[in-house]
Amino acid sequence: MPSKQQQADNEIHEDQLLNFLVNALDQEISLDLGANAEIDTEDIYEVLVGACADGTSISTLCSSSENSPAANTILYHLRTKFELERLERVANTLLRRDVIELLPEQVEVCADLHLRPYYGNEDDTDGLYHSEAKRGTTAFHAYATLYARVKNKRHTLAVRRLEDGDTASSVLAEFLGVLDGLDAEVKAVYLDRGFYDSKCLTLLQAHNYAYVMPIIRWGETIQQELSEGWSRVINHDLTGKLDGHSWTVEFPVYIDCTYLNGRYDENGVARHGYAADAPFIETPRAARYHYSKRFGIESSYRLSEQAIATKTTRDATVRLLYVVVSLLLQNAWRYLHYEYVATPRRGGRRLWWWPYKEFVNMVRRAAWTALAVRRGVPANRPPDDRFHR
């Protein structure tokens, strides 16, 4: 039989993956633990990465490990050594440090709002983000994220925590500032419907970025347009107000129509409206096609749910840190997969099979080994023959 094709001459081992992540955190987010501290920052980050990869709490991981510091020690430093504003700033630098190398000359970017439900005391919601009722609550731990879409892969460029008082336009203004600082040219910005308002549209036009986003049926005019006719392009406008001043922003709306044909147990015509202004979008079907690329970014949140430390704390800084580490795991996997695992060849690199779940499992096993997670439990009876083979 022919021998299996050799993929590469070198290997990256589990412990090296853990070292890569811990070193990245240590280099970008340095901590001053004091001269008398019994642990160092690498110990903290080792437990933090291990808990995220394991999908468990820091307390649970430390209690089942022989070589890890006490859980209360780790949690004390996480609560006292990080400042929220500084963490947001250095976290975005951390997320972009390796991703920048993978960006092409032209890049598509996506912005999304993600709401994690809060089910605690209704009188204790300071610092949370309130929105329309969803999943049985109106209070959320909310985060906005900015992604670069490269060859159907999503790389996180920035993350921002939201609280009451934050608006879609203020978040978008920060993200556009990030894009202005990139060396790559922004081909288009894909936004979810949470960014559909006059201020956000004005910002996009002021920065001269091509954009696509779904519209919200505000007003009788657009409701009428989306209830009749077939695919077409119309001109629409929104009026904005700020500090007693008002203005009107005009933009094209692409209305794409399709037959449901029993989808979702419905029939008739489904009409989708998109606010779009991009040179490569000429038809309503093109607007819908290009916007469909955005939906992949929500898979990044599904991936983050697979590798994030569980928590009960209300501390906003600690929760943001867990989210950042979870997104860092995804960025590191995509970077290492392309730069180290993929085989260079003419016409593009060959990406060998290395799923995210396997990467997370490798990091988990490395953390278990480093922290000496117990592999057995005390027993009051000796194992009998049923335990041997």
Side-chain angles (χ1 to χ4, degrees):
M1 293 179 63
S3 60
K4 184 177 180 180
Q5 181 182 0
Q6 184 175 356
Q7 178 174 334
D9 297 327
N10 303 296
E11 289 185 341
I12 299 178
H13 296 280
E14 295 174 348
D15 59 320
Q16 294 173 320
L17 294 178
L18 180 62
N19 292 341
F20 181 87
L21 294 164
V22 171
N23 290 337
L25 286 164
D26 192 32
Q27 291 171 12
E28 297 295 340
I29 312 178
S30 58
L31 299 178
D32 182 12
L33 303 182
N36 298 325
E38 298 180 356
I39 62 174
D40 56 29
T41 55
E42 291 186 358
D43 296 327
I44 296 176
Y45 291 141
E46 196 170 61
V47 173
L48 182 60
V49 172
C52 286
D54 198 26
T56 188
S57 67
I58 286 178
S59 298
T60 300
L61 182 61
C62 291
S63 64
S64 61
S65 306
E66 296 181 3
N67 293 344
S68 72
N72 287 339
T73 302
I74 299 291
L75 293 172
Y76 168 78
H77 288 299
L78 293 182
R79 294 189 185 107
T80 60
K81 303 301 181 182
F82 291 90
E83 297 179 0
L84 185 58
E85 292 184 1
R86 175 175 175 268
L87 176 60
E88 286 185 338
R89 185 174 62 255
V90 298
N92 292 338
T93 303
L94 170 68
L95 292 172
R96 291 196 295 269
R97 53 176 284 162
D98 295 319
V99 171
I100 296 298
E101 300 179 22
L102 305 181
L103 298 185
E105 294 182 359
Q106 271 196 342
V107 62
E108 296 176 311
V109 297
C110 316
D112 194 27
L113 303 176
H114 182 64
L115 308 180
R116 298 175 184 266
Y118 170 75
Y119 298 110
N121 190 341
E122 294 181 359
D123 297 327
D124 187 22
T125 57
D126 291 341
L128 298 182
Y129 182 79
H130 289 81
S131 183
E132 296 180 358
K134 182 180 180 182
R135 299 182 187 176
T137 182
T138 59
F140 303 90
H141 298 283
Y143 304 93
T145 43
L146 180 69
Y147 296 88
R149 180 182 177 276
V150 182
K151 296 182 179 178
N152 207 32
K153 301 292 188 297
R154 281 80 189 175
H155 305 273
T156 308
L157 299 176
V159 60
R160 185 184 186 279
R161 175 180 169 270
L162 304 179
E163 58 184 355
D164 282 343
D166 289 323
T167 62
S169 58
S170 64
V171 173
L172 182 60
E174 290 189 22
F175 284 169
L176 293 181
V178 172
L179 298 181
D180 290 341
L182 295 180
D183 292 333
E185 178 186 352
V186 178
K187 179 180 179 180
V189 181
Y190 300 98
L191 305 165
D192 72 7
R193 66 181 67 251
F195 291 94
Y196 178 71
D197 63 36
S198 58
K199 296 177 184 177
C200 290
L201 289 164
T202 301
L203 280 170
L204 290 167
Q205 293 180 3
H207 285 261
N208 198 29
Y209 283 133
Y211 62 87
V212 186
M213 75 177 82
I215 65 172
I216 300 176
R217 303 187 180 201
W218 287 333
E220 296 181 359
T221 301
I222 199 64
Q223 290 179 14
Q224 183 68 25
E225 292 285 356
L226 291 175
S227 65
E228 61 185 16
W230 196 244
S231 298
R232 61 197 185 280
V233 182
I234 64 172
N235 290 320
H236 190 53
D237 61 72
L238 289 177
T239 299
K241 295 182 180 181
L242 181 65
D243 297 332
H245 301 281
S246 63
W247 72 96
T248 299
V249 55
E250 297 180 352
F251 53 93
V253 171
Y254 291 75
I255 301 176
D256 181 63
C257 302
T258 58
Y259 288 112
L260 289 171
N261 292 330
R263 183 180 296 179
Y264 311 119
D265 295 327
E266 295 182 2
N267 291 287
V269 178
R271 296 177 177 85
H272 309 273
Y274 301 93
D277 189 0
F280 52 86
I281 293 180
E282 298 179 352
T283 64
R285 186 53 52 89
R288 185 182 180 190
Y289 166 75
H290 284 283
Y291 183 73
S292 67
K293 300 176 181 180
R294 190 202 72 86
F295 289 103
I297 70 173
E298 294 171 349
S299 65
S300 297
Y301 282 113
R302 290 194 292 271
L303 291 179
S304 70
E305 296 297 334
Q306 298 178 18
I308 189 170
T310 58
K311 60 274 182 184
T312 57
T313 178
R314 277 284 318 282
D315 190 292
T317 305
V318 175
R319 296 185 70 96
L320 175 61
L321 181 62
Y322 290 169
V323 172
V324 169
V325 174
S326 178
L327 295 173
L328 174 65
L329 284 170
Q330 296 180 50
N331 273 10
W333 165 61
R334 294 185 175 106
Y335 170 75
L336 295 174
H337 196 183
Y338 186 82
E339 284 292 320
Y340 287 85
V341 178
T343 302
R345 62 178 181 178
R346 299 180 75 180
R349 301 193 179 207
R350 177 176 180 178
L351 288 176
W352 296 89
W353 177 253
W354 191 34
Y356 181 65
K357 186 175 182 179
E358 182 182 353
F359 167 77
V360 170
N361 287 336
M362 294 175 71
V363 175
R364 177 191 295 119
R365 291 193 297 265
W368 282 1
T369 301
L371 300 174
V373 172
R374 69 181 186 183
R375 305 298 175 91
V377 294
N380 292 315
R381 292 178 54 186
D384 54 34
D385 293 342
R386 294 173 296 177
F387 293 85
H388 301 284
R389 292 192 296 172

